[in-house]
Structure formats: C-alpha cells, structure tokens
C-alpha cells in the first residue's frame, strides 16, 4: 500500500469491473434501505446513482459539504468483518429536525421534536445503515458485525476524522449516494468509508463474487 | 419458442448476473444488452426485441421513464423493472405502465416467474 503524496493509488486500486460491482452492490443495499426510510416517513425517497472512488479522507470530507452546508449531523456505525469501515447517514444540520418531524409527525411541537431528535436520528440511522450493510453482507455471502449507532455533529472533516488518529491524507474507499425525501425539504447522503488496508480483502471478496455469478446453484430449468 | 431479450442496466455486473441467470433458466433465448436508455431505444427500433428487463436507477433517463417511452411504440411488449428500490411508488408506477417488477438482488425464481408469464403473453399475441 503506497499512499504517498505523489501520484495517488486511486487509478489502480480497483479495476473497472470491481468499481462497477461495488457501486451495484452498494446501490442494492441503499435502495433496500431507502424502502425502510420510506416506510418511516410515508413519502417516497429519491436516490442518486452511487459514486465510488478512492480518495483521501480530506477530499471525502469536502464532498459531503455541499451548498455551503458545512454544519452536518451524522449517524455513524462502524462495521467489522471481511472488511472494516464506517457507514454514515449524513444531513445538513439544519435539516435534521425536519427529518425527525417527517418521522414523528407534523403534530408535534418544536420542543418535542428537539427532545426526540437524538433518539429518532439514532433509530433512523440504525434501520437504514443496518439495512444497507445487511443487504451488502448477504449479497457477498459474508457476515458483518455492526456497532451501535452514534451521532456526530460538525463539519465534514470531523465526521471523517481528518484530524486526529487518522490523517486527512489517508486514502479511503468512499462510496456515497444522495437521497431526497419527496415533498419534504430533507436531503442527505449515505456514505461508506472503508479503510485502505481492507481494500485487498475487498478486492478478493468482489472477485469471488464475480467468479461465483455463474456457479449459483441451478435447479429451475425451463 | 426462443425469444430475444434486451437487458438494460448501467452496471456491467448487473448485466452479467442477469445473463448468468438466463443461461440457467432459458439457455436457448438470445440476449442483447444496453447500458443506457438511448442504446435501449436504438435496440428496440431494430425490431428484434421481444422482452425487455430494465434497471430503474440509471444515469440520465431512469428505467421508468424508459418504459414510458417504450410503451408509446410497444404497448404490449412484456417489460419488467429490475431494482432493489422496492418502494411502493416505484412498483406502483411500474404497474401503471403495465410493466412487471423484479427485485434485486436477482433470484432465478423471480426472473423465471416473470419470463414464464411473458412467454405466455407473447404466444397469445403471435399464434
């Protein structure tokens, strides 16, 4: 793993078909999870096409700070298994109350909504992120352990630990999908950050998956 | 009788998974692939396509918009949306367009069931 300051490793780290596979598998995870969110908010959840890239933590943190919305709130869960990383559900901070309101109902007062915010975000994040990772684990036929959800507030850099133990220049596999809740002013991202030491493991898993496509048990001729 | 099926998905992996399922379920049918709506419409205009399987979440024109466009020229063609996006609105819109819905991750069972129905419908249309 040579993540030095020169030409980054991103070009070669994953082949085109590996990136395609990851995007497709993540898309299945997020699409399934979006249905859980849809059931919670009672309105359609619109999803973007997923983007997969290998970037530094610093670059990833900039990607989530869109439209000058630098104050973010995120529900995050760590996962461990054949590969390790973190899954995050991220909103501009100004919108988290609107999300909570769309879940608990419009009849609640602002005080109630503020009281419920932490719990509602943790629960929403838990359902969406678990749903997403469970689908990914099932598709890849692997088991993943998930931590309990925690809530982080701050800019992109603090969400992605650009400073501190992990350096901002460290490369991560970054996968994200935008979502919007129809008829509500709520938009956010689901992001997966995987540590680079896991990429070798990830490559192997994706390649096993691709090789196994033709070896699925048959049984329904005609 | 073997039919010609068009698979429309921006993901090559998804097309590989679909093609692999066909080799198990309907090995005698022929497959064509398109990576986006424009290529799909070009393939349709060729006139050889009997059945279309269409991903929903694609860059540019999404799968449901594509089905709506196909319906203008092919009102009776058996078509299914293939997606992990199992929200009521997506499935409901597919129904409105007289299209089936096959959930991802794809299973042989779900694909086989749609194809059996499609084959029956095509037999009625072309005796």
């Amino acid at each position: 793993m040579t993540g030095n300051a020169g030409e980054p490793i991103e070009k070669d780290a994953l082949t085109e078909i590996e990136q395609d596979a990851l995007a497709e598998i993540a898309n299945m995870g997020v699409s399934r999870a979006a249905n859980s969110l849809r059931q919670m908010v009672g309105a359609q959840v619109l999803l973007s096409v997923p983007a997969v890239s290998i970037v530094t933590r610093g670059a990833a943190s900039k990607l989530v700070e869109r439209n000058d919305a630098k104050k973010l709130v995120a529900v995050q869960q760590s996962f461990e298994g054949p590969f390790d990383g973190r899954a995050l559900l991220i909103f501009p901070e100004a919108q988290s109350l609107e999300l909570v309101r769309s879940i608990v109902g419009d009849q609640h007062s602002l005080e109630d909504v503020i009281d419920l915010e932490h719990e509602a975000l943790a629960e929403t994040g838990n359902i969406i992120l678990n749903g997403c990772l469970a689908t990914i684990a099932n598709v890849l036929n692997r088991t993943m352990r998930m931590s309990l959800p925690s809530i982080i507030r701050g800019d992109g850099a603090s969400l992605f630990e650009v400073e501190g133990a992990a350096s901002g220049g460290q490369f991560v596999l970054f996968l994200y999908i935008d979502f919007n809740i129809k008829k509500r002013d709520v938009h956010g991202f689901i992001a997966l950050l995987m540590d680079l030491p896991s990429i070798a493991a990830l490559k192997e898993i994706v390649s096993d998956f691709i090789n196994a496509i033709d070896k699925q048990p048959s049984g329904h001729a005609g | 009788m073997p039919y010609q099926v068009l698979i429309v998905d921006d993901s090559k992996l998804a097309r590989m998974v679909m093609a692999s399922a066909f080799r198990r379920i309907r090995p005698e049918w022929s497959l064509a692939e398109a990576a986006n709506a424009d290529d799909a419409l070009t393939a349709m205009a060729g006139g050889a396509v009997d059945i279309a399987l269409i991903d929903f979440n694609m860059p540019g024109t999404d799968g449901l918009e594509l089905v709506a466009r196909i319906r203008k020229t092919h009102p009776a063609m058996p078509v299914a949306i293939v997606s992990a996006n199992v929200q009521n609105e997506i499935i409901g819109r597919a129904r409105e367009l007289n299209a089936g819905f096959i959930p991802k991750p794809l299973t042989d069972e779900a694909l086989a069931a749609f194809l059996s129905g499609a084959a029956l419908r095509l037999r009625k249309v072309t005796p």
Side-chain angles (χ1 to χ4, degrees):
Chain A
M1 218 57 62
T2 52
N4 59 25
E7 188 58 24
I9 53 169
E10 62 224 70
K11 302 282 189 303
D12 307 323
L14 290 176
T15 63
E16 199 177 323
I17 186 68
E18 284 169 346
Q19 293 215 14
D20 178 314
L22 273 180
E24 176 65 10
I25 291 163
N27 191 34
M28 286 194 261
V30 175
S31 298
R32 287 276 171 158
N35 191 48
S36 309
L37 182 59
R38 190 244 166 275
Q39 304 304 336
M40 292 175 85
V41 300
Q44 188 179 355
V45 179
L46 306 172
L47 299 171
S48 74
V49 175
V52 181
S53 54
I54 293 177
V55 293
T56 61
R57 279 175 190 271
S61 73
K62 290 286 177 274
L63 285 170
V64 297
E65 290 177 359
R66 284 209 200 147
N67 305 323
D68 297 325
K70 288 201 169 180
K71 290 181 88 177
L72 303 167
V73 54
V75 188
Q76 73 125 11
Q77 288 184 272
S78 309
F79 53 88
E80 282 175 36
F83 44 91
D84 299 350
R86 297 157 74 212
L88 298 101
L89 177 71
I90 304 168
F91 304 93
E93 187 161 53
Q95 299 199 339
S96 81
L97 289 179
E98 179 62 17
L99 172 78
V100 174
R101 199 181 274 281
S102 62
I103 293 168
V104 299
D106 289 317
Q107 73 277 16
H108 291 271
S109 68
L110 183 61
E111 287 86 3
D112 284 351
V113 172
I114 290 169
D115 277 351
L116 285 166
E117 187 193 9
H118 193 92
E119 199 180 321
L121 283 179
E123 181 60 14
T124 309
N126 192 40
I127 288 170
I128 294 175
L129 299 174
N130 260 310
C132 180
L133 287 167
T135 302
I136 294 173
N138 289 344
V139 169
L140 294 174
N141 202 17
R142 297 294 205 281
T143 306
M144 281 199 260
R145 292 175 301 282
M146 311 250 332
S147 71
L148 288 172
S150 60
I151 292 177
I152 331 166
R153 288 167 196 276
D155 57 8
S158 54
L159 262 49
F160 292 165
E161 297 172 337
V162 170
E163 288 147 41
S167 99
Q170 187 191 351
F171 282 91
V172 289
L173 177 68
F174 181 58
L175 198 153
Y176 74 97
I177 295 181
D178 292 27
F179 68 89
N180 281 280
I181 300 177
K182 208 172 180 178
K183 297 180 198 144
R184 293 271 183 178
D185 182 25
V186 178
H187 65 91
F189 310 89
I190 296 173
L192 297 181
L193 245 74
M194 281 176 239
D195 302 331
L196 262 191
S198 311
I199 285 196
L202 189 62
K203 279 177 87 83
E204 195 182 315
I205 290 161
V206 170
S207 122
D208 284 354
F209 175 75
I210 293 169
N211 292 334
I213 287 174
D214 275 333
K215 291 176 196 136
Q216 285 173 27
S218 58
H220 337 261
Chain B
M1 116 174 220
Y3 293 108
Q4 161 104 343
V5 180
L6 179 66
I7 298 170
V8 188
D9 200 308
D10 59 309
S11 162
K12 185 173 179 217
L13 177 95
R15 300 197 301 272
M16 285 163 63
V17 168
M18 184 77 79
S20 167
F22 265 98
R23 284 195 290 276
R24 290 187 294 273
I25 302 169
R26 300 279 184 179
E28 72 283 13
W29 292 16
S30 57
L31 301 181
E33 296 185 9
N36 57 55
D38 289 342
D39 290 356
L41 289 168
T42 306
M44 289 274 170
V49 175
D50 299 305
I51 296 169
L53 297 163
I54 302 171
D55 178 34
F56 169 63
N57 194 6
M58 294 187 286
T61 307
D62 72 37
L64 286 168
E65 289 167 40
L66 176 58
V67 175
R69 283 162 73 176
I70 290 170
R71 281 287 172 249
K72 287 181 189 158
T73 49
H74 300 79
M77 176 185 284
V79 170
I81 290 287
V82 185
S83 178
N85 194 333
V86 295
Q87 294 184 76
N88 297 345
E89 287 80 1
I90 307 293
I91 298 172
R93 181 89 181 101
R95 270 201 202 118
E96 282 168 23
L97 291 165
N98 190 26
F101 186 91
I102 302 174
K104 281 185 187 176
L106 184 73
T107 63
D108 286 4
E109 288 87 345
L111 180 62
F114 172 76
L115 295 178
S116 299
L120 281 173
R121 274 200 278 161
L122 286 171
R123 216 172 298 162
K124 269 195 211 161
V125 176
T126 50

